[in-house]
Amino acid sequence: MPRVFSVALPPWLTHALRAQRGPVPWNAVVRGALAAGPLLLVAVIVGRESVGVMAALGAMLAGINDRPGSRRTAVHRIGVPGLAGAAGLVVGTYAGEGLGAVPLTLVLTALGLLAGAVNAVGPVSSGAGTQLLVAAAIGAGMPLPEPGWQRALFFLAGAAWLIALRLALPTPGALAHDFRFDGERVAVADVYDAIAELLAAAGGEQAGARRAALTAALDHAQDALAGPRLRRYASSSAERRLRAQYAAALPLAEAATALAWAGDALPARTAEGPRRLAVAVRTGEPCGPLPAPARSVPGLRALDDALLHAAETFDRGGKQTGGRQTGSEKTDGRHSAALHSNAGTNPLDRGARQTAHKGLRLRPLRAKALLRTVTGQGGREYGFRVALCYGASAAVAQALHHVHWYWLPATAVFLVKPDLGPLVSRVLNRAAGTVLGALVFAGFAAVLPRPEGLVALVAISGALIPVATRHFAAQTAVVTVLVLALVMVGGEPEASWSRIGETLLACAIVLIVGHLPAPGQRGGNVRARLDAATDAAHAYLTHVLSGADDRAARWALRREAYRKLAEARAAIDRAAAELPTLARHTEGTDEVAATLERLVDTTTACAVHLDDTGRLTPRHTERLATLLDELVEQRERAGLVDPPADLLSA
């Protein structure tokens, strides 16, 4: 038999080839087609091409942030970066008109420092910082007849147009139920499905991955339900029902995590109840009697109580679920009546009501905490890199061009974003995507009629953005075609080849700056997120061991611990795929994250056991002690700061 040789590619290269998978988001494709293209068409018809370019740019950048989720979440995710982009246009335009090359470069560098530090706060802040810098470069380097405030106004109008499309256009199946909450409904149903998958995987090799998937589903649903609203609390019965159904999933998720921690395989019927609840959320139909698990261990008893509570919650939402089934497939009316009589007095029901009413945000991000995040080690390191890359690329661009010099600094902004992947992966994908996009545009520009052909090209590119966001090179190629078509409609000559050269130059600048020694310790973003995850795990463990009976607070602390862990894990995975010269700065952090995950899982198992018996077994206490010792040793090996003193004595 011939010998088969396999070549293991390095992580920095395999990441560049990796793409997300999933069904085509046809609703987002339709929105993309109706966003930038029609705005540009209207501007061309009325003879205001430059205005159309600004509006289409706003719609294009908004389309990059148009991700799956609820409508209210989309308003925040698209609107905040849109406002930041409008502010960047104002600053860039007036600074470009009133300052020379050197003062302008200094202003843009300072702006890069600020925007880069703000990026450390979260995904929405990252999008806002990116649009701020891209729009500032466009305002300073793209000569247009309109004053800065008009540019900003039309840019904001383009983003607002996409938001209007997001709010107005239905998603598939949304018209069958309440039109306003289709994204929230899907997110809550996904939580119940993830609980079922975790129960089915208990005792197997996939249990860890299913627990991580449950965390992602809970995070997504929490964000969807916590979107911006005019009133502080839910104002409609449909929203109150969805929030109650989400709150009812939390004790189910807690019990499922505890059962997965125990490591024993479960009967297939154990996962059937959450699956029926998921179908009921999606369809609005009764879920029918829910199969009850055998109440043989604390985890199964907690799951049984949580299923019964979920059935009662769905009953109160106006649908008769038919109660809950025992092992002999009969309705367990005794337990149902008991839960009704104790509604509002037992901790589970009281915690779910508080959670549904007030949400899960125990510690919202205050101004002081926000400032601490921005000025922390992650914000400082990223701000320093962005400022150097943005300022250097702006200086080089102005030295090479008298006009139309915005492409180089705008490219550097996207290249320096760490949440788009490891540094070398970003550079390779950006270079390949720009070359492909420029070649494709050059071919179309040679045969398409102007301007109607270019307008059609903008519309087609806008429709492709939601699909292209699954891979950075594909997204770059589509955006390159769209932007080149826009600027040609605006009066700029065809510049495909110069854009390729400027992109490669930006790649070189970012690669050099990305490997320069930085003030302080490298890997600041990873270390900051691990410290936040450690603090959250400590707060959760302390609450559970204190014996407090506040379920709402416990679930909020548990959610925060898992969310912070997921953020830390994502940052660690990106850092591990860097070149060895950069990856070595975060060596050992993956072991810290894995220990923290086991610690939070164990804390959850302890909480369920304490609810059932009021005391911990030697297995629980020994496991906690072992994990705390491992955590201290691993943090020392990874060069992290000491954990909180209370965590060591917990």
Side-chain angles (χ1 to χ4, degrees):
M1 179 179 294
R3 183 176 300 176
V4 178
F5 294 94
S6 61
V7 179
L9 298 177
W12 57 267
L13 184 56
T14 56
H15 190 282
L17 303 175
R18 192 182 307 159
Q20 299 176 2
R21 296 183 179 182
V24 176
W26 291 111
N27 50 337
V29 170
V30 172
R31 290 195 298 271
L34 297 177
L39 292 175
L40 184 62
L41 177 61
V42 172
V44 169
I45 292 174
V46 300
R48 297 290 301 276
E49 288 83 359
S50 58
V51 167
V53 169
M54 280 294 102
L57 279 173
M60 179 204 74
L61 291 173
I64 295 176
N65 294 316
D66 185 15
R67 300 301 175 88
S70 65
R71 287 181 169 83
R72 283 199 313 238
T73 306
V75 172
H76 185 241
R77 188 188 300 119
I78 298 173
V80 172
L83 289 171
L89 271 175
V90 172
V91 173
T93 300
Y94 290 115
E97 293 174 352
L99 299 176
V102 174
L104 177 60
T105 300
L106 293 177
V107 168
L108 294 179
T109 302
L111 197 64
L113 181 63
L114 173 63
V118 170
N119 275 326
V121 175
V124 176
S125 298
S126 178
T130 299
Q131 286 205 29
L132 175 70
L133 297 182
V134 170
I138 291 173
M142 179 186 287
L144 292 174
E146 289 77 22
W149 68 270
Q150 286 189 15
R151 298 186 193 184
L153 186 63
F154 288 113
F155 178 92
L156 199 58
W161 172 241
L162 186 65
I163 292 176
L165 292 174
R166 181 69 181 88
L167 295 176
L169 294 180
T171 53
L175 296 179
H177 307 287
D178 193 304
F179 172 77
R180 297 166 296 168
F181 303 111
D182 57 314
E184 290 91 335
R185 183 180 299 105
V186 171
V188 173
D190 288 344
V191 170
Y192 284 100
D193 277 334
I195 293 170
E197 293 297 328
L198 177 57
L199 290 171
E205 297 180 355
Q206 295 298 317
R210 296 303 183 188
R211 203 275 303 150
L214 174 58
T215 294
L218 285 164
D219 287 345
H220 181 62
Q222 181 178 345
D223 292 339
L225 293 170
R229 56 171 55 85
L230 296 178
R231 298 183 181 181
R232 182 179 180 185
Y233 300 117
S235 58
S236 70
S237 59
E239 184 178 1
R240 287 192 293 271
R241 182 165 57 251
L242 281 170
R243 289 168 68 92
Q245 289 170 346
Y246 174 77
L250 297 177
L252 280 171
E254 189 175 57
T257 302
L259 288 168
W261 177 86
D264 297 325
L266 302 172
R269 65 178 279 119
T270 308
E272 185 62 28
R275 286 200 178 96
R276 293 187 186 179
L277 292 171
V279 173
V281 174
R282 286 194 175 92
T283 63
E285 300 297 327
C287 62
L290 303 179
R295 297 173 62 90
S296 55
V297 294
L300 287 174
R301 288 192 286 272
L303 181 67
D304 189 27
D305 292 340
L307 279 172
L308 182 56
H309 169 73
E312 296 297 330
T313 298
F314 279 59
D315 280 346
R316 289 194 293 265
K319 296 293 184 180
Q320 193 67 28
T321 62
R324 205 263 332 259
Q325 290 176 342
T326 64
S328 59
E329 303 297 324
K330 295 180 181 179
T331 302
D332 192 351
R334 177 177 57 82
H335 284 92
S336 179
L339 190 61
H340 270 305
S341 64
N342 292 330
T345 60
N346 75 70
L348 193 154
D349 187 78
R350 185 170 60 250
R353 287 178 180 272
Q354 292 174 356
T355 300
H357 182 59
K358 297 181 179 180
L360 276 167
R361 303 284 185 182
L362 264 190
R363 299 183 288 183
L365 195 58
R366 308 288 185 185
K368 186 176 181 180
L370 178 65
L371 182 62
R372 186 164 55 249
T373 302
V374 170
T375 58
Q377 54 181 337
R380 291 196 306 270
E381 181 181 343
Y382 185 41
F384 173 75
R385 299 290 174 189
V386 173
L388 279 183
C389 292
Y390 192 56
S393 59
V396 172
Q398 291 177 85
L400 294 177
H401 299 279
H402 295 292
V403 293
H404 304 301
W405 54 266
Y406 58 88
W407 187 275
L408 188 56
T411 299
V413 170
F414 285 105
L415 283 171
V416 80
K417 277 177 65 66
D419 49 357
L420 292 178
L423 176 58
V424 175
S425 176
R426 299 194 302 268
V427 168
L428 291 175
N429 284 319
R430 184 73 185 187
T434 300
V435 171
L436 177 61
L439 292 175
V440 170
F441 176 77
F444 279 117
V447 298
L448 290 176
R450 301 179 188 177
E452 57 271 19
L454 297 177
V455 172
L457 194 58
V458 168
I460 294 172
S461 299
L464 292 176
I465 284 179
V467 180
T469 52
R470 298 176 180 180
H471 194 276
F472 190 37
Q475 176 183 315
T476 299
V478 173
V479 170
T480 298
V481 172
L482 194 154
V483 172
L484 288 175
L486 278 180
V487 296
M488 183 173 285
V489 172
E492 184 178 341
E494 199 275 323
S496 296
W497 308 114
S498 65
R499 297 309 183 217
I500 293 176
E502 292 170 12
T503 297
L504 296 178
L505 184 56
C507 291
I509 291 173
V510 172
L511 275 177
I512 293 172
V513 173
H515 290 83
L516 287 176
Q521 196 173 20
R522 292 297 297 261
N525 182 49
V526 170
R527 297 172 190 279
R529 295 196 180 280
L530 265 182
D531 286 341
T534 302
D535 290 340
H538 161 240
Y540 178 42
L541 177 61
T542 301
H543 180 88
V544 169
L545 295 184
S546 70
D549 207 18
D550 187 347
R551 298 291 179 89
R554 189 174 86 192
W555 296 336
L557 290 169
R558 176 177 176 271
R559 288 272 57 253
E560 184 176 6
Y562 277 120
R563 179 184 285 269
K564 295 297 184 183
L565 271 170
E567 293 172 354
R569 175 64 75 180
I572 291 168
D573 291 343
R574 287 194 298 267
E578 298 281 9
L579 288 177
T581 54
L582 297 180
R584 64 183 177 85
H585 294 288
T586 56
E587 289 180 352
T589 54
D590 56 336
E591 297 177 358
V592 177
T595 300
L596 280 172
E597 289 171 347
R598 291 194 296 270
L599 178 62
V600 177
D601 287 345
T602 304
T603 304
T604 301
C606 290
V608 171
H609 200 87
L610 284 170
D611 291 341
D612 188 72
T613 66
R615 62 183 183 276
L616 296 179
T617 65
R619 179 189 179 190
H620 291 93
T621 55
E622 291 172 4
R623 186 61 176 158
L624 284 176
T626 301
L627 289 171
L628 290 172
D629 290 341
E630 290 180 3
L631 182 61
V632 174
E633 296 175 0
Q634 290 167 354
R635 287 180 65 91
E636 289 177 353
R637 287 199 299 268
L640 298 170
V641 297
D642 293 335
D646 293 341
L647 182 61
L648 302 181
S649 60

